[in-house]
Amino acid sequence: MKLQALLVYLKICCIAAINLDYLDPTVLQTKTSPQVQQDAATTIINKYTSQVSVTIDPLLFNNKKDVCALRTSDGRLQIKASTGVAALWGFNYYLKKYCKSQIAWQTQRVTIPDTLPEVNEVIVASDRFRYYQNVCTASYSFVWWTPDQWINHVEWMALNGINLALAPIAQEAAWDRIYRKLGMTDDEINEYFTGPAFLSWLRMGNIHGWGGPLTKSWHERQQNIQDSVVSYMFKLGIIPVFPAFNGHVPAAFTRLYPNVTFYSVEKWNKFSPDYCCGLFINPREPLFMQIGEMFLREMNSGLGVGDIFTADPFNEIQVQPWSTSLVRDTASAIFSAISKFNNNAVWLVQNWMFVHNPVQWPLKRVQSFLTAVPEGRMLVLDLQSEQWPQYNLYQMYYGQPFIWCMLHNFGGTLGMFGNMQAINKDVYQARDKANSTMIGIGLTPEGINQNYVMYDLMLEVAWRREPVQNLDNWVADYAERRYGCNTTSSAWRYLLKSVYNFSGLNPIRGKYVITRRPSFRIRPWAWYKSSDLLNAFKEFVLATNSGCNSDGFYYDLVDVTRQALQYRADQLYLDILNQRFSNVMAFNASIVRFIDLMNDMENILATNNNFKLVDWLTAARSVSNDNTFLYELNARNQITLWGPNGEISDYACKQWAELFHYYYTPRWSLFLSMALDAKARNEFFDESSAQKVVRSSVEEQFLTVAIEPLQCNDTKAVAFYMYEKWGFVSGLEDLPLSIVRSNPSRRTTLPDVDSAEREVDLPTVIHWHSTTPTD
């Protein structure tokens, strides 16, 4: 007992020692008056019901954390909260718990009884902050959004308690004004800006020029959205995070500043010099501060002065000459520019630069980078805590506060996946560690609109004091809120023990066999038994006539069917590999069955607009009347080749119906037909040459091929047919279980790899690095 008391005491002392004066929500969330926040929250709630009264009182903050009190009286729901976002958070809590409702990304089901359910509860946030967004989300999910879509999404943020979020729009509009003031020409600016679908990587210095230029109408549209979004965030008590200058500049700066020292940026992901390898200002040069201040003034013009700013100077790149002194001086220069603009400012930084290449970032270098900024003036996003937590390795970020984040998704890919057990345990352990500097939780997916159950559970961690005691019951309740029926609880138990029970270190990037460039060197694997997934599939099909008629149910019916077919496709691919060295007839039969399944995948996806390409392309075309072709090219390229030469091919792949019809199925059909023909002729099959034919005949042609509407059938009927056809297939074995387990005594990383050859034996791509601090 004495030891336990001592640990508690040490924890209290450690927390008290962290400087959080600049990260005070009672200051940051009250930029607008209680009345403004009250009106904004009430307006949103009135969209659902008029039986609610809202009172905002900042005095309700409890230990610098948002509070919301819910109480029914005289047939009305009375909400008293510390901020507007806290009030909406409490309202959504009431909808979920007492009205069995759900407001999700793509679907919502809200049913409020005429007589409101009784409630008398107080919800207190477990942490100071609930953060949202990855720097890539703006490109993978938000890029073509209209102002209305953005406003709706801000409302979703507020309803889910998010009080800290990126405001990433219109950065290029600010840079366009700056570059012109500095004397850059139209040609120089146009050659530097990427197209809209690749702006995230322009901003981080990874690439430039690809898919550009940007039009005046694009800048105007984005500026209008940014103005509206930031204003709305302030009104609701959400803290907007503004971008800051990270050191990367166009090549034209050598002409403008011939006496300034610039460093070179190394190649990123095989991009040619036409699109990579930009310039980085020596952080010791006064120009670094000058440009940094100019950018902050432009980004904050007319919006009010921000308090938290984000900059990622070394995201997946190395600047030459690379050294500890360079990263330390860069950190100091970025913070100096931010603090000169606002002497109370805090720098928000992703830890991905350390995780991506730990050889490049030994512990001593990480420490130098983090401690170059005064304690409490940097807030670190532990970006992928659910799989690659770094807070222990970096000793709680050497005194800097951090946010425990769930990244989960890369590239906005589809595929049912997650580790619900980890987020139901690890967050609480990190929060309760004796020396923890954790002050928030965060959602940091590269792309949204997938696996909403993972994010719904993660958002609840923000107010739960302890883990969910029974996840089987939790997912059953989730399904009832989402569907309006309670007949899928057994299906969700199967999903919980299969697709949502991944606990390995393997990189999950959503590139399954069907969405990969054709090859005979792919080695599919799984982390669950097929029987569990297929049982979930069966239960969903059987539930189609049991009153489950919500949009959420139809979405998940398609998703589960898609997942089952995806698994079957991996199995059929392995059968192709086995039959490849059999006779021609057997090889052909295995190919026919594989392509048949891909056609069926198209059929089920075509029954739901959320799994179609058409909205993505229509949105891209509607952004600008004067650059329709170029923006649609951006949209098509990002989700396929990702670069002029397929530099990151299939990274942002989407299991959408039209992509199967015009891209995935044609390239597999062509590749396999060439292999079959070679076998029939008793000739050597040159896979590399076949892939070149696929590239020119299918992949490159997709960028301009006319996309015609696909036939759409009834979701229930198609799903039932798919289960009858594919639920039981003889002669197929489960995929090999190939799960890379963590080793607590070692520092590990699995690099992003795109080569099929390096997936042949997954464990061989693990790199082990000593935790010994070295420079």
Side-chain angles (χ1 to χ4, degrees), residues 752-772:
D752 285 333
V753 291
D754 192 51
S755 170
E757 297 94 313
R758 297 186 64 182
E759 291 194 9
V760 169
D761 185 6
L762 186 62
T764 64
V765 302
I766 306 173
H767 297 270
W768 305 97
H769 304 298
S770 168
T771 58
T772 304

PDB file of all heavy atoms in Angstrom, residues 752-772:
ATOM      1  N   ASP A 752       7.132   1.284 -45.021  1.00  0.00           N
ATOM      2  CA  ASP A 752       6.155   1.217 -46.104  1.00  0.00           C
ATOM      3  C   ASP A 752       6.858   0.641 -47.323  1.00  0.00           C
ATOM      4  O   ASP A 752       7.856   1.183 -47.787  1.00  0.00           O
ATOM      5  CB  ASP A 752       5.642   2.622 -46.447  1.00  0.00           C
ATOM      6  CG  ASP A 752       4.681   3.135 -45.399  1.00  0.00           C
ATOM      7  OD1 ASP A 752       4.041   2.303 -44.751  1.00  0.00           O
ATOM      8  OD2 ASP A 752       4.575   4.360 -45.254  1.00  0.00           O
ATOM      9  N   VAL A 753       6.346  -0.476 -47.830  1.00  0.00           N
ATOM     10  CA  VAL A 753       6.935  -1.067 -49.029  1.00  0.00           C
ATOM     11  C   VAL A 753       5.838  -1.281 -50.061  1.00  0.00           C
ATOM     12  O   VAL A 753       4.719  -1.632 -49.728  1.00  0.00           O
ATOM     13  CB  VAL A 753       7.631  -2.414 -48.726  1.00  0.00           C
ATOM     14  CG1 VAL A 753       8.865  -2.207 -47.893  1.00  0.00           C
ATOM     15  CG2 VAL A 753       6.689  -3.378 -48.033  1.00  0.00           C
ATOM     16  N   ASP A 754       6.168  -1.061 -51.296  1.00  0.00           N
ATOM     17  CA  ASP A 754       5.191  -1.242 -52.368  1.00  0.00           C
ATOM     18  C   ASP A 754       5.554  -2.412 -53.272  1.00  0.00           C
ATOM     19  O   ASP A 754       4.777  -2.828 -54.098  1.00  0.00           O
ATOM     20  CB  ASP A 754       5.103   0.030 -53.206  1.00  0.00           C
ATOM     21  CG  ASP A 754       3.906  -0.004 -54.144  1.00  0.00           C
ATOM     22  OD1 ASP A 754       2.799  -0.284 -53.671  1.00  0.00           O
ATOM     23  OD2 ASP A 754       4.103   0.240 -55.335  1.00  0.00           O
ATOM     24  N   SER A 755       6.753  -2.942 -53.091  1.00  0.00           N
ATOM     25  CA  SER A 755       7.221  -4.001 -53.975  1.00  0.00           C
ATOM     26  C   SER A 755       6.627  -5.341 -53.584  1.00  0.00           C
ATOM     27  O   SER A 755       6.694  -5.757 -52.438  1.00  0.00           O
ATOM     28  CB  SER A 755       8.751  -4.076 -53.907  1.00  0.00           C
ATOM     29  OG  SER A 755       9.219  -5.228 -54.554  1.00  0.00           O
ATOM     30  N   ALA A 756       6.052  -6.031 -54.566  1.00  0.00           N
ATOM     31  CA  ALA A 756       5.477  -7.347 -54.295  1.00  0.00           C
ATOM     32  C   ALA A 756       6.555  -8.318 -53.838  1.00  0.00           C
ATOM     33  O   ALA A 756       6.307  -9.200 -53.029  1.00  0.00           O
ATOM     34  CB  ALA A 756       4.792  -7.881 -55.550  1.00  0.00           C
ATOM     35  N   GLU A 757       7.783  -8.140 -54.339  1.00  0.00           N
ATOM     36  CA  GLU A 757       8.847  -9.058 -53.958  1.00  0.00           C
ATOM     37  C   GLU A 757       9.093  -9.019 -52.461  1.00  0.00           C
ATOM     38  O   GLU A 757       9.405 -10.023 -51.842  1.00  0.00           O
ATOM     39  CB  GLU A 757      10.156  -8.697 -54.682  1.00  0.00           C
ATOM     40  CG  GLU A 757      10.086  -8.822 -56.192  1.00  0.00           C
ATOM     41  CD  GLU A 757       9.747  -7.512 -56.850  1.00  0.00           C
ATOM     42  OE1 GLU A 757       8.806  -6.851 -56.387  1.00  0.00           O
ATOM     43  OE2 GLU A 757      10.398  -7.159 -57.836  1.00  0.00           O
ATOM     44  N   ARG A 758       8.949  -7.849 -51.856  1.00  0.00           N
ATOM     45  CA  ARG A 758       9.247  -7.718 -50.441  1.00  0.00           C
ATOM     46  C   ARG A 758       8.091  -8.150 -49.566  1.00  0.00           C
ATOM     47  O   ARG A 758       8.176  -8.099 -48.358  1.00  0.00           O
ATOM     48  CB  ARG A 758       9.651  -6.276 -50.131  1.00  0.00           C
ATOM     49  CG  ARG A 758      10.915  -5.873 -50.856  1.00  0.00           C
ATOM     50  CD  ARG A 758      11.398  -4.510 -50.441  1.00  0.00           C
ATOM     51  NE  ARG A 758      11.766  -4.500 -49.048  1.00  0.00           N
ATOM     52  CZ  ARG A 758      12.182  -3.397 -48.422  1.00  0.00           C
ATOM     53  NH1 ARG A 758      12.267  -2.266 -49.081  1.00  0.00           N
ATOM     54  NH2 ARG A 758      12.491  -3.433 -47.143  1.00  0.00           N
ATOM     55  N   GLU A 759       6.997  -8.563 -50.204  1.00  0.00           N
ATOM     56  CA  GLU A 759       5.896  -9.113 -49.428  1.00  0.00           C
ATOM     57  C   GLU A 759       5.892 -10.638 -49.447  1.00  0.00           C
ATOM     58  O   GLU A 759       5.050 -11.268 -48.837  1.00  0.00           O
ATOM     59  CB  GLU A 759       4.556  -8.591 -49.954  1.00  0.00           C
ATOM     60  CG  GLU A 759       4.366  -7.112 -49.677  1.00  0.00           C
ATOM     61  CD  GLU A 759       2.944  -6.676 -49.890  1.00  0.00           C
ATOM     62  OE1 GLU A 759       2.084  -7.551 -50.076  1.00  0.00           O
ATOM     63  OE2 GLU A 759       2.698  -5.467 -49.873  1.00  0.00           O
ATOM     64  N   VAL A 760       6.837 -11.218 -50.161  1.00  0.00           N
ATOM     65  CA  VAL A 760       6.887 -12.673 -50.239  1.00  0.00           C
ATOM     66  C   VAL A 760       7.078 -13.272 -48.864  1.00  0.00           C
ATOM     67  O   VAL A 760       6.448 -14.247 -48.492  1.00  0.00           O
ATOM     68  CB  VAL A 760       8.023 -13.111 -51.196  1.00  0.00           C
ATOM     69  CG1 VAL A 760       8.249 -14.605 -51.084  1.00  0.00           C
ATOM     70  CG2 VAL A 760       7.669 -12.740 -52.626  1.00  0.00           C
ATOM     71  N   ASP A 761       7.964 -12.684 -48.087  1.00  0.00           N
ATOM     72  CA  ASP A 761       8.216 -13.197 -46.736  1.00  0.00           C
ATOM     73  C   ASP A 761       8.171 -12.016 -45.796  1.00  0.00           C
ATOM     74  O   ASP A 761       9.167 -11.351 -45.567  1.00  0.00           O
ATOM     75  CB  ASP A 761       9.574 -13.896 -46.677  1.00  0.00           C
ATOM     76  CG  ASP A 761       9.821 -14.548 -45.321  1.00  0.00           C
ATOM     77  OD1 ASP A 761       8.898 -14.553 -44.472  1.00  0.00           O
ATOM     78  OD2 ASP A 761      10.930 -15.045 -45.120  1.00  0.00           O
ATOM     79  N   LEU A 762       6.980 -11.728 -45.254  1.00  0.00           N
ATOM     80  CA  LEU A 762       6.759 -10.501 -44.508  1.00  0.00           C
ATOM     81  C   LEU A 762       7.749 -10.272 -43.374  1.00  0.00           C
ATOM     82  O   LEU A 762       8.287  -9.195 -43.228  1.00  0.00           O
ATOM     83  CB  LEU A 762       5.328 -10.465 -43.971  1.00  0.00           C
ATOM     84  CG  LEU A 762       4.909  -9.177 -43.282  1.00  0.00           C
ATOM     85  CD1 LEU A 762       4.964  -8.024 -44.278  1.00  0.00           C
ATOM     86  CD2 LEU A 762       3.515  -9.303 -42.704  1.00  0.00           C
ATOM     87  N   PRO A 763       8.040 -11.292 -42.538  1.00  0.00           N
ATOM     88  CA  PRO A 763       8.931 -11.027 -41.422  1.00  0.00           C
ATOM     89  C   PRO A 763      10.312 -10.539 -41.823  1.00  0.00           C
ATOM     90  O   PRO A 763      11.003  -9.925 -41.036  1.00  0.00           O
ATOM     91  CB  PRO A 763       9.007 -12.380 -40.701  1.00  0.00           C
ATOM     92  CG  PRO A 763       7.710 -13.044 -41.031  1.00  0.00           C
ATOM     93  CD  PRO A 763       7.428 -12.634 -42.450  1.00  0.00           C
ATOM     94  N   THR A 764      10.740 -10.790 -43.078  1.00  0.00           N
ATOM     95  CA  THR A 764      12.072 -10.361 -43.472  1.00  0.00           C
ATOM     96  C   THR A 764      12.181  -8.856 -43.616  1.00  0.00           C
ATOM     97  O   THR A 764      13.283  -8.328 -43.721  1.00  0.00           O
ATOM     98  CB  THR A 764      12.486 -11.004 -44.810  1.00  0.00           C
ATOM     99  OG1 THR A 764      11.611 -10.531 -45.838  1.00  0.00           O
ATOM    100  CG2 THR A 764      12.432 -12.509 -44.728  1.00  0.00           C
ATOM    101  N   VAL A 765      11.059  -8.122 -43.619  1.00  0.00           N
ATOM    102  CA  VAL A 765      11.147  -6.676 -43.769  1.00  0.00           C
ATOM    103  C   VAL A 765      11.165  -5.964 -42.426  1.00  0.00           C
ATOM    104  O   VAL A 765      11.101  -4.754 -42.357  1.00  0.00           O
ATOM    105  CB  VAL A 765       9.990  -6.122 -44.627  1.00  0.00           C
ATOM    106  CG1 VAL A 765       9.987  -6.767 -45.974  1.00  0.00           C
ATOM    107  CG2 VAL A 765       8.645  -6.287 -43.936  1.00  0.00           C
ATOM    108  N   ILE A 766      11.280  -6.714 -41.351  1.00  0.00           N
ATOM    109  CA  ILE A 766      11.362  -6.079 -40.028  1.00  0.00           C
ATOM    110  C   ILE A 766      12.786  -5.594 -39.813  1.00  0.00           C
ATOM    111  O   ILE A 766      13.749  -6.311 -40.064  1.00  0.00           O
ATOM    112  CB  ILE A 766      10.998  -7.071 -38.918  1.00  0.00           C
ATOM    113  CG1 ILE A 766       9.636  -7.699 -39.187  1.00  0.00           C
ATOM    114  CG2 ILE A 766      11.017  -6.403 -37.564  1.00  0.00           C
ATOM    115  CD1 ILE A 766       9.289  -8.809 -38.242  1.00  0.00           C
ATOM    116  N   HIS A 767      12.924  -4.397 -39.323  1.00  0.00           N
ATOM    117  CA  HIS A 767      14.233  -3.863 -38.979  1.00  0.00           C
ATOM    118  C   HIS A 767      14.266  -3.633 -37.466  1.00  0.00           C
ATOM    119  O   HIS A 767      13.378  -3.014 -36.897  1.00  0.00           O
ATOM    120  CB  HIS A 767      14.496  -2.538 -39.711  1.00  0.00           C
ATOM    121  CG  HIS A 767      14.537  -2.685 -41.188  1.00  0.00           C
ATOM    122  ND1 HIS A 767      15.680  -2.947 -41.890  1.00  0.00           N
ATOM    123  CD2 HIS A 767      13.538  -2.649 -42.111  1.00  0.00           C
ATOM    124  CE1 HIS A 767      15.415  -3.039 -43.171  1.00  0.00           C
ATOM    125  NE2 HIS A 767      14.113  -2.864 -43.335  1.00  0.00           N
ATOM    126  N   TRP A 768      15.296  -4.141 -36.865  1.00  0.00           N
ATOM    127  CA  TRP A 768      15.422  -3.991 -35.417  1.00  0.00           C
ATOM    128  C   TRP A 768      16.518  -2.964 -35.143  1.00  0.00           C
ATOM    129  O   TRP A 768      17.605  -3.032 -35.699  1.00  0.00           O
ATOM    130  CB  TRP A 768      15.796  -5.321 -34.769  1.00  0.00           C
ATOM    131  CG  TRP A 768      14.845  -6.420 -35.104  1.00  0.00           C
ATOM    132  CD1 TRP A 768      14.973  -7.383 -36.075  1.00  0.00           C
ATOM    133  CD2 TRP A 768      13.590  -6.662 -34.481  1.00  0.00           C
ATOM    134  NE1 TRP A 768      13.886  -8.198 -36.087  1.00  0.00           N
ATOM    135  CE2 TRP A 768      13.021  -7.791 -35.119  1.00  0.00           C
ATOM    136  CE3 TRP A 768      12.882  -6.057 -33.449  1.00  0.00           C
ATOM    137  CZ2 TRP A 768      11.798  -8.318 -34.757  1.00  0.00           C
ATOM    138  CZ3 TRP A 768      11.665  -6.578 -33.093  1.00  0.00           C
ATOM    139  CH2 TRP A 768      11.127  -7.691 -33.728  1.00  0.00           C
ATOM    140  N   HIS A 769      16.234  -2.052 -34.242  1.00  0.00           N
ATOM    141  CA  HIS A 769      17.202  -1.002 -33.942  1.00  0.00           C
ATOM    142  C   HIS A 769      17.384  -0.885 -32.440  1.00  0.00           C
ATOM    143  O   HIS A 769      16.422  -0.895 -31.675  1.00  0.00           O
ATOM    144  CB  HIS A 769      16.750   0.358 -34.495  1.00  0.00           C
ATOM    145  CG  HIS A 769      16.485   0.325 -35.964  1.00  0.00           C
ATOM    146  ND1 HIS A 769      17.455   0.038 -36.878  1.00  0.00           N
ATOM    147  CD2 HIS A 769      15.331   0.502 -36.662  1.00  0.00           C
ATOM    148  CE1 HIS A 769      16.930   0.069 -38.091  1.00  0.00           C
ATOM    149  NE2 HIS A 769      15.646   0.336 -37.980  1.00  0.00           N
ATOM    150  N   SER A 770      18.590  -0.765 -32.047  1.00  0.00           N
ATOM    151  CA  SER A 770      18.872  -0.608 -30.626  1.00  0.00           C
ATOM    152  C   SER A 770      18.291   0.702 -30.125  1.00  0.00           C
ATOM    153  O   SER A 770      18.216   1.690 -30.845  1.00  0.00           O
ATOM    154  CB  SER A 770      20.397  -0.616 -30.403  1.00  0.00           C
ATOM    155  OG  SER A 770      20.709  -0.187 -29.102  1.00  0.00           O
ATOM    156  N   THR A 771      17.902   0.717 -28.872  1.00  0.00           N
ATOM    157  CA  THR A 771      17.389   1.950 -28.275  1.00  0.00           C
ATOM    158  C   THR A 771      18.515   2.800 -27.704  1.00  0.00           C
ATOM    159  O   THR A 771      18.269   3.805 -27.060  1.00  0.00           O
ATOM    160  CB  THR A 771      16.389   1.619 -27.156  1.00  0.00           C
ATOM    161  OG1 THR A 771      17.037   0.809 -26.166  1.00  0.00           O
ATOM    162  CG2 THR A 771      15.199   0.865 -27.705  1.00  0.00           C
ATOM    163  N   THR A 772      19.750   2.380 -27.929  1.00  0.00           N
ATOM    164  CA  THR A 772      20.871   3.145 -27.411  1.00  0.00           C
ATOM    165  C   THR A 772      20.938   4.512 -28.070  1.00  0.00           C
ATOM    166  O   THR A 772      20.960   4.617 -29.299  1.00  0.00           O
ATOM    167  CB  THR A 772      22.197   2.401 -27.677  1.00  0.00           C
ATOM    168  OG1 THR A 772      22.112   1.099 -27.115  1.00  0.00           O
ATOM    169  CG2 THR A 772      23.373   3.165 -27.072  1.00  0.00           C
TER     170      THR A 772
END
